Amino acid sequence: MIQATLHQLKVFETVARNGSFTRAAEELLITQPTVSSQVKQLTKAVGLPLLEQIGKSLYLTDAGEDLLETCQDIFEKLSNFEMKVADLKGTKQGQLKLAVITTAKYFVPRLLGSFCQLYPGIDVALKVTNHQEIQQRMSENRDDLYIVSNPHKDMDLKSKSFLDNPLVVVAKKDHPLAQQQNLELKHLNDRPFIMREYGSGTREAILELFDKHKISVKVKLELGSNEAIKQAIAGGLGISILSEHCLISEGISGELTILDFQHFPIKRRWYVSYLAGKKLSVIAETFLDYLLTESPKIPFPESSILAKLTNGKTNLSGLTAERSLIT
Ligand code: PGA
């Protein structure tokens, strides 16, 4: 049996995950010489090199790769065990690791607020990012649960759909198309457009629709943030397509409007997903139940605000119908 301490394994796992001694020291709040000496002792105990330094980059050897996987397995099991013990003692204690797509930030933090009030012993690590990075995190088994709108088909996932996440065409209030109804998609042709970045699920859904209907917009700007896109629309740089949830804070005095296009809203849903082979921790199970129970209460823009955002247009029936499903 290899004589290694849990601390050495933790230090090694942090170095291997970060690909850097310096970043590992920063994360663990210890000095870099301590990190180096812990890894050195572990390497001696294993009897094989675990890391290889080539130039400025740090690489894992085959033994290092195997050990990293083993460490992550051990730490996940230990943390699940701790949570189980706390549960048996009648308290919920431990960490919930969540990674969510950009639009989920409009409701997840609020939901976490009430969840953490109910279970004060639970700490949360929340990552907000786009679909591509979520897929990367899934492949590295970094989190307990994921909230996405396109559960990746090439990954073995368990997914539950829980709420509508429609995409709408958003423009500045004084846009020439703002008063028109039932617009044909061809009106989008050659329009200045603000597009989400490569790797975004919103972008994928937009391109799929454009491709299907042979629409070609003039991409003025690519941005990695829905909030920045809203500012760019307000600044007159063009129109865009965003999740309706991004407009929840717009209010009646907002500067944006929803354009009434055929084929919109693009109907999508949010899903909560986790790796099929993963045994969820007690904490993750608790949050999953909480999310599925509480999500129907998540507000969409109120009807008065929506009427204003749509300039009172009535044939955005998709939006109204979807909303009534959840209120
Ligand atoms: P995205 O996902 O941030 O990858 O575009 C958002 C969404 O699908 O609602």
Side-chain angles (χ1 to χ4, degrees), residues 50-321:
L50 301 170
L51 299 161
E52 222 173 4
Q53 180 97 40
I54 302 177
K56 284 195 172 154
S57 307
L58 201 59
Y59 296 92
L60 287 171
T61 61
D62 285 350
E65 294 269 11
D66 276 358
L67 185 59
L68 172 62
E69 224 173 272
T70 309
C71 289
Q72 288 175 334
D73 212 33
I74 292 172
F75 293 132
E76 189 176 334
K77 287 206 166 102
L78 267 180
S79 136
N80 284 354
F81 174 70
E82 273 172 8
M83 292 185 218
K84 217 175 198 162
V85 169
D87 192 41
L88 290 171
K89 286 182 185 163
T91 53
K92 299 256 187 267
Q93 217 158 4
Q95 195 185 41
L96 171 70
K97 283 183 261 163
L98 270 183
V100 308
I101 46 160
T102 56
T103 46
K105 80 166 187 192
Y106 293 98
F107 75 90
V108 171
R110 275 171 191 273
L111 203 69
L112 285 173
S114 47
F115 179 71
C116 290
Q117 260 173 10
L118 208 57
Y119 303 106
I122 297 181
D123 299 324
V124 183
L126 173 67
K127 175 79 186 168
V128 180
T129 185
N130 69 20
H131 273 87
Q132 191 180 46
E133 205 182 322
I134 295 261
Q135 186 173 15
Q136 179 64 28
R137 293 180 74 90
M138 283 174 171
S139 67
E140 294 167 3
N141 185 21
R142 298 267 295 271
D143 310 279
D144 298 314
L145 297 169
Y146 302 88
I147 293 178
V148 293
S149 27
N150 300 336
H152 297 284
K153 292 181 186 70
D154 48 348
M155 299 205 73
D156 195 7
L157 296 176
K158 286 198 173 145
S159 299
K160 282 191 180 126
S161 123
F162 64 93
L163 196 63
D164 291 309
N165 181 21
L167 291 179
V168 292
V169 187
V170 184
K172 210 175 163 188
K173 261 203 176 131
D174 58 4
H175 193 277
L177 299 180
Q179 300 303 328
Q180 298 193 35
Q181 296 192 4
N182 205 21
L183 288 155
E184 288 179 48
L185 280 183
K186 65 178 184 203
H187 288 282
L188 288 172
N189 272 326
D190 296 322
R191 291 236 170 235
F193 193 87
I194 307 156
M195 184 67 96
R196 280 287 306 277
E197 80 288 1
Y198 179 79
S200 144
T202 309
R203 176 188 175 113
E204 250 177 53
I206 296 170
L207 292 181
E208 195 182 312
L209 182 85
F210 285 1
D211 209 39
K212 190 166 161 201
H213 296 274
K214 311 269 173 294
I215 300 299
S216 153
V217 291
K218 232 192 267 164
V219 177
K220 276 268 179 209
L221 194 62
E222 278 194 17
L223 285 173
S225 140
N226 299 315
E227 283 302 307
I229 289 183
K230 279 162 59 180
Q231 293 303 319
I233 298 170
L237 277 169
I239 59 173
S240 190
I241 294 172
L242 293 171
S243 159
E244 191 196 347
H245 290 271
C246 302
L247 303 170
I248 206 146
S249 59
E250 277 311 291
I252 294 183
S253 59
E255 297 170 276
L256 307 180
T257 186
I258 298 176
L259 298 184
D260 184 8
F261 268 93
Q262 292 173 8
H263 303 283
F264 280 88
I266 300 178
K267 291 187 180 170
R268 300 157 86 229
R269 286 184 61 83
W270 274 314
Y271 295 81
V272 56
S273 302
Y274 57 93
L275 301 177
K278 191 169 171 102
K279 167 106 188 66
L280 285 186
S281 70
V282 176
I283 305 286
E285 294 259 20
T286 309
F287 181 72
L288 182 60
D289 287 348
Y290 188 79
L291 171 72
L292 296 176
T293 317
E294 293 298 308
S295 56
K297 300 176 198 159
I298 293 165
F300 269 77
E302 285 169 23
S303 52
S304 58
I305 294 174
L306 192 85
K308 208 77 187 172
L309 280 167
T310 58
N311 282 334
K313 293 181 288 268
T314 49
N315 53 345
L316 282 163
S317 49
L319 289 181
T320 324

